[in-house]
Amino acid sequence: MQIRQLEYFVSLCETLNFTRTAAEFFVSQTAVTQQIKALEEELGTILFNRTKRHVELTSAGKLLREDAKAILFHVHEARQHIRTHSGEVSGTLKVGFLRGYEHEGLSHALNDFHNQYPQVSLSLMRGSVNSLFRELRNGKIDLIFTHRYRDVYDDCVALDIREYPLMVLCPIGHPLARNPFVRPEELKGYRLVDVEKPTDEVGEASSVTRFFLNAGFLPELSFVSDDIDTNIVAVTAGLGYALLPSYLTDHLVEPTSVEVRPVLGHEAEMTVSAIWRKSDTSQLIARFLDVCVAHLNR
């Protein structure tokens, strides 16, 4: 039983697709198939039932899955301990961040970190609040930069990076753009272009609802999307206004097609935090944050 075989096996348990697993490891599908077959022959049992269109775990495969994950975890920990003992900083750090946050100095921070720790492999993912938290809790990302809507997340640690003013983005000539700023209660009666919130697991939906309830109303939605760029297009098309943190509105590609006004009030700020799992004690996260904070907290 080889480590590479177990890595292919665990990946295939998640993807249930030989092609996707092969792409993940930059090898051919044939290579993955051969290694899985060799593992099955060594164990004397079939791990996957597969047809041309369908792959599923057998009962034996389900039993092996948790053991394989535990083995790979301990192998990773052993490698990290040896590297730490030898003074070498290496490994893989998987970083997730909100769409649009790459403009806030994150790319410069990543570049500095890479120059200081060239043996560390960086993996990047851009996504929504819910998708980032989901991937973090599933162990597919080590650290995320995202909005923090609650004071405490039981399974995570949060380091607040910066607060960003909340801005109204509206079409040219929209009534909300008549004044240099907008009070929350002045949003009443206008249609909202909003970000899709499939669940309230991290407090995003309830936080937005609380903002409007404090202003005395709930908004009428005109358009909902999980892609912020699509929402900006919807605003430009005149479908309504959007509430966005300033790191998004400060870097609009076509600022002349919309109007931007700050929102007044003590709740009119959005906190971006670095968040990671409490169970993750990797020194890479601490080293990465040491580099990042100077770039992002400006």
Side-chain angles (χ1 to χ4, degrees):
M1 189 181 300
Q2 301 175 6
I3 297 301
R4 179 57 74 185
Q5 290 174 339
L6 294 180
E7 289 175 336
Y8 289 170
F9 170 74
V10 169
S11 172
L12 193 55
C13 287
E14 297 176 353
T15 66
L16 296 178
N17 186 295
F18 281 83
T19 301
R20 287 170 57 190
T21 289
E24 181 179 333
F25 290 94
F26 301 100
V27 297
S28 68
Q29 181 177 333
T30 301
V32 175
T33 301
Q34 290 174 342
Q35 291 298 324
I36 295 297
K37 184 177 179 181
L39 183 60
E40 289 177 327
E41 289 177 351
E42 180 180 349
L43 295 174
T45 188
I46 299 299
L47 301 173
F48 295 95
N49 290 321
R50 52 248 201 207
T51 65
K52 290 184 177 179
R53 294 187 177 183
H54 185 68
V55 177
E56 66 177 7
L57 275 167
T58 63
S59 57
K62 292 177 181 177
L63 286 173
L64 179 62
R65 178 174 54 192
E66 297 309 314
D67 287 337
K69 287 182 178 180
I71 291 169
L72 292 177
F73 174 79
H74 288 302
V75 168
H76 172 77
E77 287 291 292
R79 288 171 175 166
Q80 291 298 108
H81 290 161
I82 295 299
R83 287 164 178 163
T84 300
H85 179 74
S86 65
E88 177 187 354
V89 179
S90 61
T92 299
L93 184 65
K94 302 170 187 175
V95 180
F97 56 94
L98 290 166
R99 294 184 177 98
Y101 199 61
E102 62 270 19
H103 300 297
E104 285 298 290
L106 183 59
S107 59
H108 297 296
L110 291 166
N111 180 255
D112 277 3
F113 182 79
H114 174 68
N115 289 334
Q116 291 184 40
Y117 304 102
Q119 299 304 314
V120 177
S121 175
L122 286 169
S123 174
L124 306 176
M125 173 187 168
R126 190 173 77 156
S128 64
V129 174
N130 277 288
S131 66
L132 290 175
F133 268 99
R134 182 176 62 250
E135 297 300 281
L136 176 69
R137 285 166 168 162
N138 288 341
K140 295 185 177 181
I141 301 180
D142 301 312
L143 172 74
I144 59 177
F145 292 98
T146 187
H147 296 149
R148 182 176 61 78
Y149 292 102
R150 292 177 181 162
D151 292 335
V152 176
Y153 295 107
D154 291 340
D155 54 345
C156 298
V157 180
L159 173 67
D160 291 347
I161 300 296
R162 184 176 167 184
E163 290 185 337
Y164 292 89
L166 192 61
M167 313 295 286
V168 170
L169 184 76
C170 56
I172 295 289
H174 194 282
L176 290 172
R178 290 172 183 167
N179 297 317
F181 53 81
V182 178
R183 293 183 175 86
E185 59 268 23
E186 294 174 337
L187 298 170
K188 185 176 182 179
Y190 300 108
R191 303 179 74 194
L192 174 66
V193 172
D194 201 11
V195 176
E196 185 177 13
K197 305 169 186 66
T199 71
D200 193 38
E201 185 178 359
V202 297
E204 183 181 19
S206 56
S207 178
V208 173
T209 299
R210 184 170 58 252
F211 170 84
F212 283 106
L213 287 176
N214 288 341
F217 70 100
L218 288 175
E220 177 186 356
L221 300 181
S222 66
F223 184 86
V224 177
S225 168
D226 65 353
D227 180 71
I228 196 64
D229 294 328
T230 302
N231 282 9
I232 292 173
V233 170
V235 171
T236 304
L239 299 186
Y241 73 92
L243 290 173
L244 301 173
S246 61
Y247 67 78
L248 285 170
T249 59
D250 287 347
H251 301 283
L252 290 173
V253 177
E254 299 180 6
T256 57
S257 61
V258 291
E259 305 258 21
V260 179
R261 297 291 185 271
V263 180
L264 293 185
H266 70 281
E267 290 188 346
E269 289 186 332
M270 300 188 74
T271 302
V272 171
S273 303
I275 301 176
W276 62 98
R277 296 181 301 277
K278 285 182 179 179
S279 59
D280 194 336
T281 59
S282 170
Q283 288 299 308
L284 286 181
I285 291 176
R287 292 174 185 263
F288 182 68
L289 288 176
D290 285 342
V291 175
C292 279
V293 169
H295 285 278
L296 300 175
N297 193 16
R298 292 177 177 175

